[in-house]
Amino acid sequence: MPRNLFAAALLATTTLSLGFALPAHAQDTAAPEPAVALPAALTAEQMPPIPLAMAERARPYLEARGAGFAGWDPNARAVLVSTRFANTNQLHRVAQPMGARTQITFEAEPVGGRYAPKRGDVIVVRKDRGGDEYFQLYTLKDGRLTLLTDGKSRNQQGAWSADGHLLAFSSTRRNGVDSDLYVMDPRDPASARMVFQSNGGGWAVLGFSPGKQEAYVADYNSVQDVDLYRLDMASGTMLPIGNPADQVAHGSFRVGPDGTLWVTSDRDSDFQRLGRLDPITGNFTPVTNERWDVDGFDISPDGKTIAYVVNEAGTDRMRLLDVATGKVRKVDALPAGLIGGVEFAPWGEIGFSLSSAKSASDVWSLDPATMLLTRWTQSETGGLDVSVNVEPEILTTRSFDGLEVSGILYLPDPAKFPGKRPMLVSVHGGPEGQSRAGFLARNNYYLNELGIGLFYPNVRGSTGYGKVFVSLDNGPFKREDSVKDMAALIDAVRAHKRVDAAKVGLTGGSYGGYMCYAAAVQLKDKLAATQCTVAISNFVSFLENTNPYRQDLRRVEYGDERDPVQRAKLTEISPLTRVNEIAKPMFVITGANDPRVPKSEADQMVAAIRAKGGEAWHLVAADEGHGFAKKANADYAFLAQLAFWKKHLLGE
């Protein structure tokens, strides 16, 4: 998972149908409380109806939206943004700062896309079906999409050439498993040609040399090992940049206008640094020495300035580097929050997205010459006063082996909610991800309306704390060390003077969902209930049934179920093996089309809990995958979670 707040997003799993249904035979008794209508794609198993009154109270929080920067229109001072006005995120064009968000895609599924650089004569769009992640590429014109790929395989957009002529992409069309590399002129779909036949699912084109004689390619083996190559576009010869046997993680990559290769890398460092890369020897020359990861960057069209972002313990800071002198300027006018999509315009302006505790994600720009900030969008927050949203604090403790672990803690306003309050722990996915301090959107309802605190732990295996930290949970024999970290952090939260230790719940999605199941088994005495989303219940069945293109990538992280010794350990540590120890209520949320964690992982856990007489709510979406992307589904899921936590944390 890209570094995102998967568990937080699912806790906030984002048009609510506020119709209600009455039982057919309700003549002689008091009328039941009106309920929210279940969206057509959802199946709710052994769940109570959702009170309409609760949905009405929560409605403003459901209507918050954000805008993500999707790039500049190179032919005008205008931006492309991703935002939602109906059921899914679509592309919009904004022609001037704070101008109208003019929608240009109108699909049932979420889409992403961007203009061809330099030319700006075409927009290439990416879209899947029902969350299956079998992405197809299209061109967009007059609100209609024209298919560029085969319509069946999984396709991932790669880099554009600097002149906007060629677009690279990877595709599994050959055998359904390996990500072969292709290039095309998207103005002519028939121009697509394979340039490299791969062996594995982690290949991608990162950039082209200025004359397009070479492409620069990454082979993602794991979060700790990303190898780089030079691909001769005429002969198809692939040559390594440096030694592929070295375990080095290369991150963001750009080709300067003079052909210099710029990259973030953890070579000779615990953290990702920005520097120059020799395309022959692979020698890396860092130009930054930050104490945290450099997460992303872009280079000005004249090559003189680099804008980069530093992830400081989950909060982003922007820096401007003068390439000639090495002088760094800090962009201090930005609030603490999350920065994404940094991109220079052809005229030198820097576009990006920014979110913070008191602001939904919106699009901004920075003039590096004057340091003037310009806001391009101001997303709606349901009419709510965002100034009352609480700022987080960092909670730190020591785990079983002395390792320092931490998390982001939000506590409700003590003037409105005095005394000890319930707490909801939300575990991120990945595991190569990180909980970070951005806008909580609908999750602010827990804090501002219910007085329930929120805590987002970053256990070992999380990114953002160095390559040693991210490696500490690798393989089946270290896997449960992260569960021990979670236990230590929950103990620290329960000991907080503002927390009611008897009313702590836990939620998580994807790998965070595994942690949720594991907590239900191993930490049940510390928790009142659990809510687990798209979660791994059995590592063996997960590895055998996850989409084939992902299997080898996941075996690097979790272990190889084909090896008898590892298989035995994977079975031992799987929550399903110890399902009889689950004693507290559980709520499971599942996407039927999930290619990563198959629906069968949820089905077998729910069935096992119910077989022994346990309480297990189960919400299944027929048109979703690894998380809920459609607003109608996500709204209902959020309301169902509210009902679950009001019952088990507030006793309502």
Side-chain angles (χ1 to χ4, degrees):
M1 161 169 308
R3 300 183 179 181
N4 60 28
L5 288 173
F6 187 92
L10 282 166
L11 187 79
T13 36
T14 40
T15 297
L16 179 64
S17 175
L18 289 180
F20 60 87
L22 293 175
H25 307 290
Q27 293 106 356
D28 300 325
T29 60
E33 184 176 3
V36 177
L38 186 72
L42 298 186
T43 301
E45 302 173 0
Q46 296 191 17
M47 293 172 54
I50 306 303
L52 183 62
M54 185 180 74
E56 292 287 10
R57 288 193 297 272
R59 175 183 280 281
Y61 291 86
L62 301 177
E63 298 309 322
R65 72 177 114 247
F69 180 63
W72 293 98
D73 179 344
N75 295 316
R77 189 174 180 252
V79 297
L80 203 60
V81 306
S82 173
T83 191
R84 174 199 53 74
F85 281 91
N87 202 31
T88 58
N89 278 5
Q90 300 294 316
L91 292 175
H92 298 67
R93 187 176 184 273
V94 181
Q96 62 186 27
M98 301 304 292
R101 290 159 288 184
T102 303
Q103 188 167 338
I104 59 174
T105 62
F106 302 86
E107 300 298 311
E109 302 291 346
V111 303
R114 62 164 296 176
Y115 284 99
K118 196 169 186 178
R119 300 182 180 195
D121 60 333
V122 65
I123 296 174
V124 173
V125 167
R126 186 185 83 158
K127 179 172 73 78
D128 72 354
R129 289 193 191 120
D132 64 3
E133 299 186 16
Y134 277 72
F135 297 104
Q136 305 302 320
L137 303 182
Y138 306 81
T139 51
L140 169 67
K141 185 177 181 181
D142 299 330
R144 293 185 174 89
L145 301 183
T146 299
L147 184 65
L148 297 175
T149 45
D150 66 353
K152 298 177 292 185
S153 61
R154 173 181 165 86
N155 302 273
Q156 291 280 74
Q157 185 172 333
W160 284 90
S161 60
D163 62 5
H165 174 239
L166 284 182
L167 174 66
F169 65 99
S170 64
S171 179
T172 62
R173 67 175 65 178
R174 177 172 56 88
N175 60 11
V177 177
D178 298 314
S179 295
D180 299 328
L181 302 180
Y182 293 77
V183 296
M184 71 160 68
D185 179 348
R187 303 156 191 84
D188 176 16
S191 68
R193 63 185 180 94
M194 185 193 296
V195 292
F196 178 69
Q197 181 172 305
S198 75
N199 179 23
W203 292 85
V205 174
L206 304 180
F208 293 89
S209 61
K212 295 180 291 192
Q213 296 94 341
E214 290 185 325
Y216 302 108
V217 173
D219 179 18
Y220 180 97
N221 301 300
S222 74
V223 70
Q224 300 165 257
D225 186 12
V226 182
D227 300 323
L228 299 181
Y229 296 85
R230 292 183 294 126
L231 173 65
D232 186 287
M233 294 293 289
S235 68
T237 302
M238 186 80 81
L239 297 174
I241 298 177
N243 185 359
D246 295 344
Q247 190 171 78
V248 176
H250 298 95
S252 298
F253 183 98
R254 294 288 186 274
V255 182
D258 62 354
T260 299
L261 304 188
W262 293 89
V263 66
T264 60
S265 173
D266 64 7
R267 183 178 290 279
D268 302 323
S269 172
D270 197 31
F271 290 93
Q272 291 270 319
R273 297 180 292 175
L274 172 65
R276 299 178 179 87
L277 185 71
D278 187 295
I280 307 299
T281 66
N283 288 340
F284 175 68
T285 306
V287 297
T288 62
N289 192 30
E290 306 283 350
R291 294 179 54 247
W292 302 93
D293 281 337
V294 175
D295 268 357
F297 69 96
D298 198 24
I299 306 171
S300 63
D302 60 10
K304 295 180 179 180
T305 305
I306 295 178
Y308 67 92
V309 176
V310 181
N311 172 4
E312 296 184 357
T315 297
D316 286 336
R317 305 292 183 184
M318 185 181 288
R319 309 277 192 262
L320 301 181
L321 171 71
D322 185 300
V323 173
T325 66
K327 181 181 177 181
V328 174
R329 289 179 289 165
K330 296 181 178 181
V331 185
D332 291 328
L334 294 175
L338 303 182
I339 298 170
V342 175
E343 180 184 306
F344 275 92
W347 49 92
E349 195 171 1
I350 304 165
F352 57 94
S353 305
L354 173 68
S355 69
S356 67
K358 299 181 187 298
S359 175
S361 177
D362 273 310
V363 177
W364 293 73
S365 65
L366 173 70
D367 183 336
T370 64
M371 300 297 278
L372 176 67
L373 282 166
T374 300
R375 187 170 192 162
W376 284 75
T377 64
Q378 186 162 7
S379 295
E380 296 80 4
T381 56
L384 297 165
D385 179 7
V386 295
S387 69
V388 305
N389 293 344
V390 299
E391 296 282 355
E393 60 186 78
I394 301 297
L395 184 148
T396 301
T397 192
R398 296 281 175 181
S399 191
F400 70 100
D401 57 357
L403 180 72
E404 184 177 274
V405 289
S406 63
I408 302 170
L409 179 63
Y410 295 83
L411 294 165
D413 181 356
K416 185 175 181 179
F417 298 102
K420 294 180 179 290
R421 299 301 305 171
M423 178 63 60
L424 188 53
V425 178
S426 179
V427 188
H428 69 71
E432 311 97 329
Q434 183 185 16
S435 288
R436 308 190 60 194
F439 187 61
L440 292 180
R442 59 186 58 191
N443 283 352
N444 281 306
Y445 189 87
Y446 289 98
L447 290 157
N448 298 343
E449 306 296 335
L450 301 181
I452 296 175
L454 299 174
F455 179 64
Y456 298 90
N458 284 308
V459 299
R460 70 187 68 204
S462 302
T463 54
Y465 303 93
K467 65 183 180 183
V468 172
F469 191 88
V470 81
S471 71
L472 293 177
D473 68 340
N474 286 356
F477 296 94
K478 296 181 180 179
R479 180 58 47 205
E480 291 189 319
D481 288 353
S482 60
V483 181
K484 296 175 184 176
D485 290 348
M486 188 164 59
L489 285 163
I490 290 173
D491 284 343
V493 167
R494 294 174 76 224
H496 195 284
K497 64 182 180 181
R498 295 266 339 267
V499 175
D500 184 340
K503 295 181 179 179
V504 176
L506 187 141
T507 183
S510 190
Y511 177 75
Y514 153 72
M515 295 285 275
C516 181
Y517 285 155
V521 173
Q522 300 181 44
L523 310 181
K524 56 183 175 292
D525 294 338
K526 305 176 190 291
L527 301 172
T530 52
Q531 189 281 298
C532 312
T533 300
V534 295
I536 300 166
S537 61
N538 182 320
F539 281 111
V540 172
S541 58
F542 159 71
L543 289 166
E544 289 177 338
N545 296 313
T546 191
N547 197 290
Y549 81 89
R550 304 184 71 250
Q551 284 176 314
D552 286 340
L553 295 173
R554 292 296 80 196
R555 285 167 179 148
V556 173
E557 173 64 37
Y558 297 125
D560 193 336
E561 84 287 359
R562 299 167 299 183
D563 176 88
V565 174
Q566 294 192 54
R567 185 184 186 93
K569 186 63 177 178
L570 287 166
T571 300
E572 176 190 327
I573 66 173
S574 293
L576 189 64
T577 302
R578 300 173 61 180
V579 68
N580 288 336
E581 298 177 50
I582 295 177
K584 301 291 180 64
M586 181 181 290
F587 178 15
V588 176
I589 297 178
T590 307
N593 302 324
D594 193 340
R596 304 187 189 194
V597 181
K599 176 177 175 288
S600 54
E601 290 295 305
D603 290 340
Q604 62 194 12
M605 177 60 84
V606 170
I609 291 172
R610 290 175 178 169
K612 68 182 189 69
E615 179 182 351
W617 299 12
H618 194 191
L619 185 65
V620 182
D623 61 347
E624 301 279 13
H626 200 62
F628 286 12
K630 297 179 174 67
K631 187 175 185 295
N633 298 337
D635 282 353
Y636 193 92
F638 178 75
L639 292 170
Q641 290 170 78
L642 284 185
F644 185 77
W645 292 121
K646 287 180 74 174
K647 176 181 178 181
H648 295 296
L649 294 183
L650 298 179
E652 298 180 9

